[in-house]
Amino acid sequence: KDQIAEEIAKHGFKSTKGNPLSEPFPFNLMFKSMIGPDGSKVGYMRPELAQGIILNFKRLMDSGNAQRLPFAGACIGTAFRNEIAPRAALIRVREFTLAEIEHFVNPSDKSHPSFKRVADVQFACWSRDLQVGGQEPTIMTIGEAVAKKIIDNQTLGYFIGRVKLFMDAIGIKDMRFRQHLSDEMAHYAQDCWDCELLTSYGYVECVGIADRSAYDLECHSKGSGKDLVAREEFATPIVSRVFKAKVNKAIFGKKYGKDAGEALKFFEGLSDEAARKLGKDLEAGSATVTLANGNSIDVTADVVTFSEQDVKITGRNFTPNVIEPSFG
């Protein structure tokens, strides 16, 4: 807020009518509400549907999909946004209906088993490079766009193709698919496209198709302290030589007390590089480390030792990426 105020004063920014601007102030795009008979709990009306699906990732994974990826969740419902100035009829409103799909994939394999069904679908592609070069959209196939890495991956391309087929099926004639420019794409997005329809207001975004990477699940995992991950089993186990910690259980619990559990997680979760560095520090004396709960503990060689070990790795845990078509 202060930085914005400084820039306004520095450059003398004014309104389009030449009036001075007010002091910047925080503004929440979510509607605040009171929950319960006495209104003692604060809640916010959902501005999108995505997080309701993503928050249920673990339930969806464990109940219906037997730890298998990819899979998806979908939702149709109402969302609310505290628009500063609702206008343009149905274009900018405070209450609207959305339909969203959250498709969870392995970040190391974003191929799609049904990609062939849309590979030959033609669409008006307005790529980032065409926009920067001042050129109009060009007609190409989904398969060509993915092969040339204009569209980042097959799964994203699959949903762009399915959106195009849906628009054709409901009779939409004038549309284009515009790729977000680098400076307008969300910081967490890997690639993002809008299906824009020609209306009396010009081209208007009606569907967004985005590769949101692992951002949502990582944030929810950090906030909740729960591991929101999937597991990939290797066809052939890998034997890897790693630097591992070994704790002295006889004194470990007594030394760290209520922090013993967090300390054990810390040592077991050290990367090979971090374990080697801490091992060298302990050879020179002692070290202080900060645990996930924010507490700091002193570590000495009589409590924890490090050594190289051969470990058989049968698989890996990973945070899935989310690819999202959002209608509305």
Side-chain angles (χ1 to χ4, degrees), residues 3 7 20 82 110 149 188 196 212 263 282 313 316 320:
Q3 185 179 359
E7 291 299 318
N82 190 13
K110 292 184 179 179
K149 295 298 290 183
Y188 53 79
E196 299 180 333
R212 298 173 67 114
L282 295 185
I313 303 173
R316 71 179 183 102

Side-chain angles (χ1 to χ4, degrees), residues 116-278:
K116 288 183 179 180
R117 293 173 56 186
V118 301
D120 294 328
V121 171
Q122 292 188 327
F123 74 119
C125 172
W126 204 16
S127 68
R128 189 177 298 128
D129 289 343
L130 290 177
Q131 294 173 66
V132 172
Q135 301 177 58
E136 293 297 310
T138 185
I139 302 299
M140 66 170 57
T141 66
I142 297 292
E144 182 183 359
V146 172
K148 292 181 177 180
K149 295 298 290 183
I150 297 172
I151 297 175
D152 186 74
N153 57 75
Q154 276 194 9
T155 299
L156 187 63
Y158 172 78
F159 282 111
I160 292 174
R162 289 299 299 266
V163 169
K164 174 61 165 61
L165 291 174
F166 174 75
M167 293 298 176
D168 290 341
I170 62 175
I172 302 298
K173 300 298 182 184
D174 295 311
M175 74 185 105
R176 67 189 184 192
F177 287 80
R178 187 183 71 85
Q179 187 177 32
H180 283 204
L181 298 174
S182 299
D183 60 358
E184 67 173 321
M185 194 160 61
H187 66 89
Y188 53 79
Q190 189 162 327
D191 194 9
C192 188
W193 293 73
D194 289 339
C195 176
E196 299 180 333
L197 309 186
L198 183 60
T199 73
S200 57
Y201 296 100
Y203 277 101
V204 175
E205 172 204 346
C206 289
V207 186
I209 311 102
D211 184 335
R212 298 173 67 114
S213 67
Y215 179 77
D216 301 279
L217 286 174
E218 288 176 344
C219 286
H220 287 308
S221 182
K222 183 178 180 180
S224 66
K226 303 294 183 181
D227 289 330
L228 300 177
V229 298
R231 183 164 178 81
E232 176 186 19
E233 296 294 339
F234 298 147
T236 303
I238 300 170
V239 177
S240 179
R241 194 163 185 79
V242 298
F243 213 59
K244 297 275 291 181
K246 182 179 180 181
V247 302
N248 184 345
K249 295 181 180 179
I251 61 174
F252 191 84
K254 184 177 180 180
K255 181 176 180 65
Y256 296 127
K258 63 180 182 180
D259 286 327
E262 287 294 331
L264 186 60
K265 287 182 183 178
F266 174 85
F267 294 124
E268 290 179 344
L270 285 173
S271 66
D272 186 78
E273 181 181 357
R276 290 181 185 276
K277 183 179 183 304
L278 184 55

Side-chain angles (χ1 to χ4, degrees), residues 48-57 60 65 69-76 98-105 155 159 188 208-213 216-217 220 320-327:
E48 63 175 8
L49 309 184
Q51 302 311 319
I53 301 172
I54 294 168
L55 274 172
N56 280 288
F57 163 76
L60 293 169
N65 293 281
L69 284 178
F71 71 86
C75 183
I76 299 175
L98 291 175
E100 295 185 346
I101 299 171
E102 307 304 320
H103 186 88
F104 300 95
V105 298
T155 299
F159 282 111
Y188 53 79
I209 311 102
D211 184 335
R212 298 173 67 114
S213 67
D216 301 279
L217 286 174
H220 287 308
N321 281 196
V322 175
I323 294 177
E324 174 199 69
S326 176
F327 295 74

